[in-house]
Amino acid sequence: MAIESPLYEKIYLQLRDEILSGKIASGELLPPEPILSQRYGVSRITTTRALQILSEQGLIVRIRGKGTFVRKPALSKEETSGVLTEPSPKPIGYVVPNIRDTYGIEIFSGIECAISKRGGFLITERTYGDPDREQAAIRRLLELGVKGLIVYPVNGKYYNPEILRLSLEKFPVVLVDRLLPRIPIPSFTSDNRMAAYLLTEHLLHCGHQNIAFLAHAIDGTATLEDRYAGYVAAHRNANLPVAQKLCPAIFSETELDNRDHEYMDQCVSLTEAFFRTQKNVTAVVAAEYNFAMYAYEACNSLGYRVPDDMAIATFDGPCPKTTPWHFTHIRQDQCAMGTLAVESLWAQIENETTNDNASQTIPGRLILGNSTRMIAR
């Protein structure tokens, strides 16, 4: 499903690429805003917003009475009159499926803040969970001359060959939220096994014994494999068997699917069908927030009350402080993931370490919400 970017973003990306590729030379004067607006057929406000982003990322500098220049390592004294000069900023690429308020925005904030403190700037490419887009994004960022890459890999059984090449060539690169086993690239993820264990243990403690695990295909996605392992471990610790029929891989989605209302309705229908066939299920561990929403909507359609008839526990979601009703969930420390990823990447860029350092897992916190409660035993 095609996703239309805002006009200012298109202009920003075009100017950014021309600057980083050298098509617009360092120190060159950009055309005035009215001319840029006429060139791109947009309003002055749109052009101003695009230039504002370029300025925030350190690609251009505005000098009152003289115009807007492409930043260069050392401006002349005359050019810098009244302007603070800085070392040439390092461009860092971030490849990510998407950035949502339910998950991802805090990783992005952690990355952006840590890079800014080090005098760099961030160039972000979204892949929408598509492996081909991911490969193309990595190649494009390398062509633009980024000094390092932070990659949030797409789900999948097979590794992106571009990521493998980065590892072999010892290019500065780190991963966030995903671990690629046997690939010597530092990764910064949540402790997904313990997180799922805590969610399942909580539901067991509430009195549930028939707990479903809702996810898409687990095989090949390390995050989901770890969460499923935590779900299984909690059952074994309680001396309870795990019924495979309660662990259906009923979803097969990408970030593109998440924006397709028809697809989302289909997922709700699939969840309804699962609940109808497994009437003994009283609780759900949803491996991702979207799956929890599908389960919640399915309960509404079937007349099930949450948490009285069906308990739901999941991962992340909107900030509990901003919503009166929220799921019981694991709150991942996204900001720490982003900050640690930048620290590792910068060490590689400064030749302090190689990219085969050990990965780190960051613990999450169990946040009790409105979707679970104790039941009569």
Side-chain angles (χ1 to χ4, degrees), residues 216-292:
H216 52 64
I218 296 170
D219 183 36
T221 301
T223 298
L224 289 180
E225 288 176 348
D226 287 346
R227 291 178 181 180
Y228 178 69
Y231 165 84
V232 171
H235 278 82
R236 288 178 176 170
N237 190 56
N239 295 315
L240 290 172
V242 173
Q244 289 302 312
K245 64 183 180 180
L246 299 187
C247 307
I250 58 178
F251 310 120
S252 58
E253 67 179 24
T254 69
E255 291 292 341
L256 288 174
D257 293 324
N258 288 339
R259 292 173 176 261
D260 187 332
H261 292 290
E262 183 178 343
Y263 174 82
M264 295 167 68
D265 290 342
Q266 180 185 359
C267 287
V268 172
S269 296
L270 289 170
T271 310
E272 287 180 34
F274 170 73
F275 286 158
R276 286 195 189 97
T277 58
Q278 303 298 329
K279 296 185 180 297
N280 59 335
V281 170
T282 61
V284 166
V285 172
E288 293 183 7
Y289 178 79
N290 285 347
F291 306 157

Side-chain angles (χ1 to χ4, degrees), residues 25 98-99 197 211 214 235 245 258 270 286-287 344-345 357 360:
N98 208 349
I99 301 173
Y197 182 95
I211 304 170
L214 292 184
H235 278 82
K245 64 183 180 180
N258 288 339
L270 289 170
S344 174
L345 185 67
N357 283 1
Q360 292 189 45

Side-chain angles (χ1 to χ4, degrees), residues 61-174:
V61 59
R62 298 183 177 191
I63 302 175
R64 183 172 296 177
K66 296 183 179 180
T68 301
F69 295 83
V70 175
R71 184 184 287 274
K72 57 184 179 180
L75 298 174
S76 69
K77 182 177 181 181
E78 180 183 355
E79 289 174 321
T80 57
S81 177
V83 178
L84 295 176
T85 59
E86 301 173 356
S88 180
K90 289 184 174 67
I92 303 298
Y94 180 36
V95 180
V96 58
N98 208 349
I99 301 173
R100 295 173 288 168
D101 59 348
T102 54
Y103 187 73
I105 187 65
E106 292 177 30
I107 296 179
F108 177 80
S109 296
I111 290 172
E112 191 174 47
C113 182
I115 289 175
S116 178
K117 287 179 179 178
R118 289 164 173 79
F121 64 93
L122 191 63
I123 306 173
T124 303
E125 292 274 1
R126 291 185 293 182
T127 66
Y128 301 104
D130 185 328
D132 292 333
R133 285 182 180 229
E134 184 178 76
Q135 290 188 53
I138 291 174
R139 288 195 295 266
R140 186 160 49 247
L141 289 168
L142 293 175
E143 290 171 358
L144 291 173
V146 296
K147 303 301 182 183
L149 279 171
I150 301 171
V151 181
Y152 182 144
V154 303
N155 289 327
K157 188 173 184 179
Y158 301 104
Y159 298 158
N160 185 330
E162 289 296 326
I163 296 177
L164 293 173
R165 184 168 67 85
L166 293 172
S167 174
L168 291 172
E169 295 180 358
K170 301 296 182 181
F171 184 84
V173 59
V174 297

Side-chain angles (χ1 to χ4, degrees), residues 29-49:
L29 176 66
L30 292 180
E33 288 185 20
I35 294 179
L36 286 174
S37 298
Q38 185 177 7
R39 175 187 297 177
Y40 293 109
V42 297
S43 68
R44 180 80 175 269
I45 294 175
T46 300
T47 302
T48 301
R49 177 61 180 137

